[in-house]
């Protein structure tokens, strides 16, 4: 129940904060704060209001952005895993790579880089053979 409620709230908040009118509202708050500076005599309290407000908003937004990023990443992984699974010649061992350790991922990366270099060399050789015949 709590996860579902948080998910809905986070999703709605992230969508709203990414809209132009929300940005305009934030700019308006800053303008009002700046204009009110002389009224409050540029006091420490006046400065503290904007500092505290922006710190709180930033603190909360970090968690919402991370939640949204985690959801997006998880969705992309599921879609990619399905593409790997459904592709006839794909290596099914590549499904769930995000669960590997950093060292295992690095070793796999090196393996694919080596394979890519070998493939590029054969393409280069093929192209040079074609240019030699021409």
């Amino acid at each position: 129940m709590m996860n579902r409620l948080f998910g809905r709230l986070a999703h709605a908040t992230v969508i709203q904060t990414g809209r132009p009118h929300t940005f305009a509202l934030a700019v308006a708050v800053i303008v009002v704060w700046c204009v009110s500076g002389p009224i409050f005599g540029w006091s420490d309290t006046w400065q503290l209001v904007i500092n505290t407000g922006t710190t709180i908003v930033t603190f909360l937004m970090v968690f919402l952005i991370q939640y949204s990023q985690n959801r997006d990443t998880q969705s992309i992984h599921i879609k990619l895993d399905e593409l790997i699974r459904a592709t006839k010649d794909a290596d099914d061992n590549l499904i769930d790579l995000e669960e590997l350790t950093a060292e295992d991922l690095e070793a796999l990366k090196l393996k694919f880089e080596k394979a890519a270099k070998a493939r590029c060399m054969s393409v280069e050789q093929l192209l040079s053979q074609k240019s030699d015949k021409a």
Side-chain angles (χ1 to χ4, degrees), residues 10-133:
H11 182 70
T13 304
V14 167
I15 287 185
Q16 289 304 315
T17 56
R19 295 189 181 214
H21 71 271
T22 307
F23 177 76
L25 178 64
V27 169
V29 167
I30 300 299
V31 168
V32 167
W33 175 77
C34 287
V35 169
S36 70
I39 297 168
F40 293 101
W42 312 102
S43 69
D44 289 343
T45 303
W46 171 79
Q47 291 180 31
L48 188 61
V49 166
I50 198 70
N51 288 339
T52 303
T54 55
T55 300
I56 291 168
V57 169
T58 302
F59 178 75
L60 295 174
M61 286 305 295
V62 165
F63 294 101
L64 291 174
I65 291 167
Q66 187 61 53
Y67 171 80
S68 179
Q69 185 67 43
N70 288 347
R71 265 182 60 90
D72 289 348
T73 301
Q74 193 173 34
S75 296
I76 289 169
H77 282 291
I78 291 168
K79 291 173 186 177
L80 290 172
D81 289 347
E82 174 58 15
L83 287 173
I84 292 169
R85 189 195 62 74
T87 303
K88 187 172 118 180
D89 294 329
D91 183 356
D92 288 346
N93 294 319
L94 298 178
I95 293 176
D96 288 336
L97 285 182
E98 63 275 8
E99 302 300 326
L100 294 178
T101 65
E103 294 80 18
D104 290 342
L105 283 173
E106 186 63 30
L108 194 57
K109 178 184 165 207
L110 292 173
K111 174 185 169 188
F112 278 100
E113 284 176 353
K114 191 174 181 180
K117 285 179 184 176
R119 176 174 268 175
C120 287
M121 287 175 46
S122 0
V123 169
E124 289 171 3
Q125 290 170 351
L126 181 64
L127 290 175
S128 77
Q129 288 175 358
K130 286 184 179 181
S131 64
D132 290 342
K133 291 179 183 178

